[in-house]
Amino acid sequence: MAHASSYRPNTAIGKWFDVRLPVMRMMHDQFNDFPTPRNLNYLWTFGGILTFFLVVQLATGIVLAMHYIPHESMAFDSVEKIMRDVNWGWLLRYMHANGGSMFFLAVYIHIARGMYYGSYKAPREILWVIGVFIFLAMMATAFMGYSLVWGQMSFWAVTVITNLFSSLDSIVDGLGTAVVQWIWGGFSVGGPTLTRLFSLHYLLPFIITGLVILHIWALHVPGSNNPTGIDIKSKSDAIPFHPYYTFKDAYALCLFVILFMGLVFYAPNFLAHPDNYIQANPLQTPPHIVPEWYFLPFYAILRAIPDKLFGVIAFAGSIGLLAFLPWLDTSKVKSTRYRPIYKWFFALFIINTLVLGYLGAKPAEGMYLLFARIGTAFYFAHLLVVMPVVGWFEKPSAMPGSITDDVLGKGSGGGRPSAATASPGRR
Amino acid sequence: MTIAAGSFAAVGSAAALWPFVDQMNPDASALSLATTEVDLAPIEEGQSITVSWRGKPVFIRHRTPAEIEQAKAVKLEDLADPEARNENLDDSAPATDENRVKDKKEKWLVMVGICTHLGCIPKGQRVGDEKGEYGGWFCPCHGSHYDTAGRIRKGPAPRNLDVPTYDYISETKIKIG
Amino acid sequence: MRNIASPKRKLLLAVAAAVLYAASVAGTPAKAAGEQTIETQKWSFSGPFGMFDRGQLQRGFKVYKEVCAACHGLRLLRFRNLGEPGGPEFSSAAVKALAAEAEVQDGPDDEGEMFTRPGRPSDAFVSPFANKNAARAANNGAYPPDLSVMAKARARGPDYIYSLMAGYKETPDDLELAEGMSYNTAFPGHQIAMAAPLDDDAVEYTDGTAPTLENYSKDISAFLMWAAEPKLEERHKLGFRFMIYLIILAGLLYLVKRRVWAGLKH
C-alpha cells in the first residue's frame, strides 16, 4: 500500500546508503511502518509462521544435504547415519521431517483463512494466484523430499505419482510412456530418478522463496485484507505493522513452535508411516500405500474416479481450480462473516475436505470408495457451482461502515487519534 | 531482416535447450538391453514365480487347466481392454487367451508384473495372496482386478498386463527380452 | 472483548481440529489380512520423560546375540554404540570383548588378499548372511529381515515385537498352515515363516531376572527400540529443557503483546 515514507536515516552511513540503495528505507516502510488493518485476528499470523517454516526447512535442509547421499543403495543408510552418528543429526532430521508437516498445517489454515474472508477477491487476485503456485511448489518439494529417504513408501509414492503422467498415453499413444521414462531416466524408478529428485528438491525451495517475495510484494500493494473485508478508508482503520503485529505474530509463532517442537521431541514419527523405515524394494509393493497426511484429500479424489485419465485430471483440477477462485466467486462482499448462506457451504466444504483426507488413508473399496466419490462430487460442486451461484442470489447481511466502526461500534469513528500516528503502548 | 535474425536466434536457442532436456532420458547403460533366462521346470502346477528383468518384476504362472478354461470362457466383448498387449504379436491382436501365451504352451503365462494403472506390483503370486474377483491378480494400491490371463477386468487400470518379448530356448527354458 | 474472543476461540478450535484430524489419520493402523493381536505394554522409555532401563537393554542384547543373531542382522549398529550413553552402556572393556568375538572381513592386505580379523568397537555388527539370496537359501525361501530399525518399521513397534515373540499360540483346527509356517497371532495373516525362537530358559540371565518367555520378549523389544532410536534419551532430555524455554518465551511474548496493544481499543 502506497504511503508516505517516514524513514529518516539519522547516521552518516545510513544517509550514504539511502541515496544509493534505499534498502533500509524499504524495510522500514514495508515492515515497520506499514499501515495494517487494526482488526486482524490470529488467523492472520500464519503468513509470518509460514515464512518462519520456510527458513527452518531451508536451514535444516542445507545442512542435512551435507550428510545425505543420493544413491539408490546408500540413501536409506545415509539417513540412518544422520540419525545415529552426525552431531545433532537426529534433531535436524526430525525438524526437517516434521517441519514439512507443520508447513502444510500452517498453509492449510492460511488458505482456509483466505477463502473464508474472501482474500482472493479484487484487488488481490494476483496475490492469490501466486499463493496457489507456492502451494504447488510446496507439494512438489515435499513429495521429492519424502522420496529421498528411499524407504518403501518413498519408492512407491514416486512410482505411483510419476506414473500419473502415463495417462497421457490415452491422448497421444506412447507420449505418456515417453514422458514417464524421461522422468525416471530408465524403465523403472531407480538410481537416476533418485539423483534428479535430490537435485530438484534442493532447487525448488529457492523458487518458493522467490515466489514468496512476489507474494509479499503483491500483498503490500493493496495491503492486508481483514475480517470485515472492508478496505482501509481512514487513518483510524490502520495501525503500523510494528510493534502491533510484530509482537502479535511473534506470540502466535511461539505457540505454533511449541506444537512443532513437541512433535519433534516427543512424537517425531507420529505423522510418518512405519513402512518408510523399510528400505525401498522395487520388487514388492507394500500392502497398503498411503501418502503423507497432507496429500490425503487429493489422493482420495484421484482414487475416487475409476478412469485413469479422468482420475488424474480430477486430481490436478482439485488443486488447479483454486487459482480461479477470484473469478468463480461472484459475491459482492468479501468476508463470509456477512454471507448468511455461503457460511454454511463453507463449513461443509471444510468438513468435506477433512472427510476426504480420512478416506484417502483408507483402502479404496466398498463404502470408503462410495463416500470418496460423494466427497469428490461435493468438492467440485462447491468450487464450480456453489461459489458462483450462491454469490449471485445471496443477500449479504448488514455490514459495518468501516473497520473502525466494526472495532469501536457504529458511529464512534471520530474520537480516536489517527492510528498510524497513535503511540503504541510502552514497550 | 530483423525477423530473419530473430528466428535464426530462436532456432539456436531451442537447439541449445535440447541437451538439457534430453540428458534426463534413459542413458546408454540403461538402454543396453539385458535378457533374463528362466528355467520353468521346477515350477509346479498352480505355482507362480517372480523374476527380475531390467529391474522390473516378471510374473510367470504355471496355470491349472481350470484357470485356462476360465480365461478361455471369457467373451471378448466382456474385456475392458480388447487388445492382447503381447510384444510377440501385432498391436492389433485381440486379447483372447491364446494371444496372451505362446502356441501350445498355454499353461505358461509370462507377463510384466506391473499394474498398468500406476505401477504397483499386483498381489496373487504367493499362495496366501488375495487374487481378486477374477482369480488372477489384485493390485492393492487402487483396486484393479486381473483375470487368470492377466487381463484387466475391474478397477482403474487401463490395459492388460504387458506380455514381454520372450522365446523358448528349450522345452522348459525361456529367454525374456 | 467480543471481537478478540471469538476469532481466538475459532482459531483454537481450528488448530485443535487440524491436529486431531492429523492424529486420526496418522493413527490409522495399516489394515492387513488377518487381524493382528497386539498387546500394549508398559515401557520405561515411553512418555515424555521415558528413559531406557540399562539392565533391560543389556539382557535384550544377550537375547539378540544368543538367539536372533543366528538369522537376523543389525547392520546399522556398531559395537561402540553398546558403550555409548543412552544405550546398554556396557563398560569399554566389555565393548572391546564383545567386538572381538565377531569375525570382521578386512583388506586387501599387502598381497591384495582379503582377510578376517577380530572385530573392534568401531566395526559394524556383522550380518549372518552375505546377502539376501544367501539368507533366503538358508531359510526355506523366507528372508529374515535386518532388525536395525525394525522397532520403527512396524506400527506400534515395541508392542508389536513383544506380541510377536509372545504370539506363538496353538494353531486353530480350522486353519491349514502352509509348509514350514508357524501360527502367530501378532503376524499379519497369522502365518509366519519364523519358528518360535524363544522359550522359557532359552537364554541364561545373570542379574536375577526370571528367565521366562515373557521377560525375553520384553527385553528384546526394548533392546530393538534402542537399536532403532539410540538418541531417544538425549531427545527426551533436551526436549524437556527446550519446552520449558519455549513456554517461558511464549509467556513473555504474550505480556509484551498485551502491553503493546493496551493503548489501542480492539
Side-chain angles (χ1 to χ4, degrees):
Chain A
M1 173 173 271
H3 62 109
S5 177
S6 66
Y7 180 65
R8 303 281 174 272
N10 43 21
T11 61
I13 190 155
K15 286 173 187 149
W16 187 87
F17 252 99
D18 198 44
V19 290
R20 290 168 175 84
L21 182 69
V23 64
M24 291 308 290
R25 176 179 296 277
M26 188 192 82
M27 297 301 281
H28 178 87
D29 292 347
Q30 297 301 318
F31 298 103
N32 193 325
D33 209 25
F34 192 72
T36 311
R38 63 190 295 171
N39 60 339
L40 299 186
N41 61 35
Y42 275 97
L43 288 171
W44 262 266
T45 61
F46 281 89
I49 289 172
L50 284 162
T51 315
F52 172 82
F53 275 98
L54 178 60
V55 175
V56 168
Q57 292 305 84
L58 279 166
T60 51
I62 288 168
V63 294
L64 285 169
M66 295 178 184
H67 305 280
Y68 172 77
I69 306 169
H71 183 278
E72 146 181 58
S73 61
M74 288 188 266
F76 186 85
D77 285 8
S78 78
V79 171
E80 279 302 317
K81 189 176 163 55
I82 290 171
M83 296 289 292
R84 288 156 195 271
D85 289 346
V86 174
N87 302 324
W88 303 102
W90 61 270
L91 178 64
L92 295 165
R93 193 236 162 178
Y94 277 153
M95 280 177 73
H96 197 68
N98 285 289
S101 278
M102 292 292 104
F103 209 155
F104 274 94
L105 177 60
V107 91
Y108 283 132
I109 297 173
H110 191 66
I111 292 171
R113 190 270 291 152
M115 287 180 74
Y116 184 81
Y117 293 112
S119 299
Y120 45 80
K121 292 175 78 76
R124 296 187 183 83
E125 298 95 326
I126 291 184
L127 169 63
W128 174 265
V129 171
I130 294 171
V132 174
F133 278 107
I134 295 175
F135 180 48
L136 281 173
M138 274 176 69
M139 292 178 95
T141 311
F143 167 73
M144 289 170 181
Y146 190 65
S147 73
L148 300 183
V149 181
W150 215 239
Q152 274 288 66
M153 281 293 166
S154 303
F155 183 90
W156 291 100
V158 175
T159 300
V160 166
I161 298 300
T162 51
N163 258 310
L164 291 178
F165 292 97
S166 68
S167 60
L168 293 173
D169 272 343
S170 46
I171 301 172
V172 181
D173 198 33
L175 175 67
T177 311
V179 169
V180 170
Q181 288 180 359
W182 176 72
I183 293 171
W184 289 342
F187 301 103
S188 57
V189 175
T193 325
L194 177 58
T195 40
R196 64 193 56 181
L197 288 171
F198 179 60
S199 167
L200 295 174
H201 181 68
Y202 207 116
L203 167 71
L204 272 177
F206 296 98
I207 290 177
I208 293 179
T209 307
L211 287 168
V212 166
I213 291 169
L214 290 179
H215 194 62
I216 296 174
W217 187 359
L219 170 71
H220 280 221
V221 175
S224 290
N225 185 29
N226 66 79
T228 64
I230 302 166
D231 289 333
I232 294 175
K233 289 176 181 163
S234 66
K235 282 198 160 180
S236 70
D237 287 346
I239 48 177
F241 190 82
H242 178 76
Y244 291 105
Y245 288 112
T246 39
F247 282 108
K248 190 169 182 170
D249 281 4
Y251 169 57
L253 172 63
C254 192
L255 292 183
F256 205 75
V257 169
I258 289 177
L259 174 68
F260 168 47
M261 293 313 276
L263 274 176
V264 167
F265 284 121
Y266 298 118
N269 294 307
F270 177 66
L271 295 167
H273 196 289
D275 276 14
N276 223 29
Y277 279 105
I278 303 170
Q279 194 167 1
N281 178 0
L283 296 183
Q284 193 188 353
T285 308
H288 183 53
I289 63 169
V290 279
E292 290 284 82
W293 68 268
Y294 38 81
F295 292 139
L296 288 173
F298 306 106
Y299 191 61
I301 290 174
L302 167 73
R303 295 194 306 180
I305 298 187
D307 181 88
K308 181 168 164 178
L309 179 64
F310 285 105
V312 174
I313 290 173
F315 178 68
S318 62
I319 303 157
L321 265 183
L322 292 176
F324 296 94
L325 282 199
W327 300 279
L328 287 167
D329 182 0
T330 54
S331 168
K332 286 169 280 300
V333 298
K334 286 192 189 120
S335 176
T336 306
R337 218 191 234 188
Y338 310 110
R339 302 186 59 186
I341 301 172
Y342 180 72
K343 200 177 252 180
W344 296 105
F345 281 108
F346 182 81
L348 204 61
F349 179 72
I350 298 290
I351 293 167
N352 182 51
T353 309
L354 295 179
V355 169
L356 277 176
Y358 172 77
L359 295 169
K362 293 286 169 194
E365 58 200 31
M367 291 302 272
Y368 294 132
L369 192 57
L370 178 70
F371 281 116
R373 286 182 180 154
I374 297 171
T376 302
F378 244 96
Y379 184 95
F380 285 103
H382 180 88
L383 297 180
L384 293 171
V385 180
V386 172
M387 293 198 77
V389 173
V390 173
W392 171 64
F393 73 78
E394 181 184 49
K395 192 172 170 298
S397 53
M399 289 176 68
S402 69
I403 295 171
T404 310
D405 280 357
D406 183 54
V407 177
L408 303 177
K410 212 177 165 103
S412 59
R416 297 293 306 166
S418 92
T421 54
S423 62
R426 278 170 300 133
R427 275 167 261 164
Chain B
M1 212 53 218
T2 325
I3 296 168
S7 32
F8 208 69
V11 168
S13 315
L17 204 60
W18 179 243
F20 289 87
V21 174
D22 190 41
Q23 55 82 22
M24 276 176 67
N25 271 316
D27 67 13
S29 67
L31 288 171
S32 60
L33 299 177
T35 58
T36 301
E37 286 182 20
V38 189
D39 185 9
L40 303 178
I43 314 169
E44 286 164 34
E45 195 172 273
Q47 257 193 351
S48 304
I49 63 160
T50 307
V51 296
S52 177
W53 169 65
R54 293 181 195 167
K56 299 189 228 186
V58 170
F59 289 173
I60 302 173
R61 183 179 281 189
H62 187 169
R63 301 191 293 174
T64 61
E67 284 173 334
I68 299 170
E69 269 323 298
Q70 196 186 336
K72 281 189 167 168
V74 179
K75 288 193 221 104
L76 270 183
E77 50 272 30
D78 291 340
L79 294 172
D81 175 16
E83 289 177 39
R85 307 290 171 188
N86 187 337
E87 295 277 330
N88 307 289
L89 300 172
D90 285 343
D91 282 352
S92 57
T96 56
D97 187 61
E98 290 78 8
N99 282 342
R100 299 279 299 161
V101 293
K102 294 265 180 186
D103 254 355
K104 297 184 192 120
K105 297 277 189 186
E106 61 182 20
K107 61 183 183 179
W108 296 106
L109 179 63
V110 178
M111 52 194 191
V112 177
I114 294 180
C115 181
T116 56
H117 180 225
L118 295 175
C120 293
I121 297 172
K123 293 206 154 299
Q125 286 292 92
R126 283 194 291 179
V127 183
D129 277 358
E130 185 173 356
K131 289 185 161 65
E133 289 177 22
Y134 296 87
W137 287 264
F138 171 70
C139 183
C141 291
H142 305 92
S144 292
H145 300 254
Y146 295 91
D147 67 12
T148 52
R151 294 172 298 195
I152 180 67
R153 302 300 298 278
K154 188 181 170 188
R159 287 181 291 117
N160 302 326
L161 292 174
D162 290 317
V163 176
T165 317
Y166 69 97
D167 280 304
Y168 281 86
I169 48 178
S170 76
E171 201 46 34
T172 59
K173 214 166 191 185
I174 57 168
K175 188 176 84 177
I176 308 169
Chain C
M1 235 24 233
R2 165 186 62 92
N3 277 315
I4 56 164
S6 80
K8 240 187 216 170
R9 232 185 2 246
K10 267 185 214 157
L11 172 64
L12 274 177
L13 274 174
V15 172
V19 170
L20 275 177
Y21 163 68
S24 73
V25 167
T28 312
K31 262 266 184 292
E35 281 300 308
Q36 295 172 261
T37 317
I38 297 185
E39 295 170 47
T40 308
Q41 298 296 306
K42 258 181 102 93
W43 301 107
S44 68
F45 49 81
S46 57
F49 301 103
M51 298 287 153
F52 290 113
D53 172 344
R54 309 272 161 253
Q56 186 170 46
L57 292 191
Q58 295 195 357
R59 291 193 301 274
F61 172 68
K62 195 158 195 268
V63 175
Y64 168 75
K65 193 171 83 128
E66 292 179 16
V67 182
C68 319
C71 304
H72 294 274
L74 215 47
R75 72 193 154 87
L76 296 173
L77 256 68
R78 288 169 186 276
F79 291 107
R80 64 178 158 79
N81 296 139
L82 294 170
E84 284 167 3
E89 296 187 4
F90 284 104
S91 68
S92 64
V95 170
K96 267 191 190 144
L98 285 168
E101 288 175 28
E103 275 205 354
V104 176
Q105 196 185 44
D106 203 347
D109 62 12
D110 294 345
E111 274 77 47
E113 302 293 326
M114 301 302 279
F115 60 93
T116 59
R117 57 164 175 77
R120 301 180 195 124
S122 58
D123 287 321
F125 278 43
V126 182
S127 296
F129 302 104
N131 52 54
K132 244 184 184 178
N133 290 357
R136 280 190 194 283
N139 287 284
N140 198 16
Y143 169 63
D146 187 273
L147 300 178
S148 304
V149 281
M150 186 54 79
K152 288 197 285 188
R154 296 290 181 273
R156 301 166 62 195
D159 288 332
Y160 168 77
I161 297 169
Y162 168 84
S163 305
L164 189 77
M165 292 298 105
Y168 287 92
K169 304 268 163 68
E170 200 69 24
T171 313
D173 292 337
D174 57 343
L175 184 82
E176 202 179 320
L177 288 172
E179 203 186 312
M181 304 295 254
S182 300
Y183 179 73
N184 190 306
T185 53
F187 196 70
H190 293 179
Q191 296 199 38
I192 186 168
M194 173 170 70
L198 291 166
D199 206 344
D200 290 352
D201 296 314
V203 178
E204 197 187 339
Y205 275 168
T206 53
D207 64 352
T209 310
T212 59
L213 172 63
E214 165 86 9
N215 284 336
Y216 295 146
S217 307
K218 276 189 181 154
D219 296 348
I220 188 64
S221 307
F223 172 73
L224 290 177
M225 184 62 201
W226 167 77
E229 190 75 7
K231 304 290 176 160
L232 180 139
E233 292 197 4
E234 193 181 337
R235 177 154 63 74
H236 284 180
K237 282 180 195 156
L238 182 69
F240 180 66
R241 284 177 238 155
F242 209 105
M243 295 317 270
I244 299 267
Y245 166 79
L246 279 176
I247 289 164
I248 295 175
L249 180 63
L252 289 173
L253 284 170
Y254 176 69
L255 292 176
V256 175
K257 182 252 157 194
R258 215 169 63 158
R259 194 151 209 196
V260 165
W261 283 78
L264 183 82
K265 197 167 174 218
H266 59 281

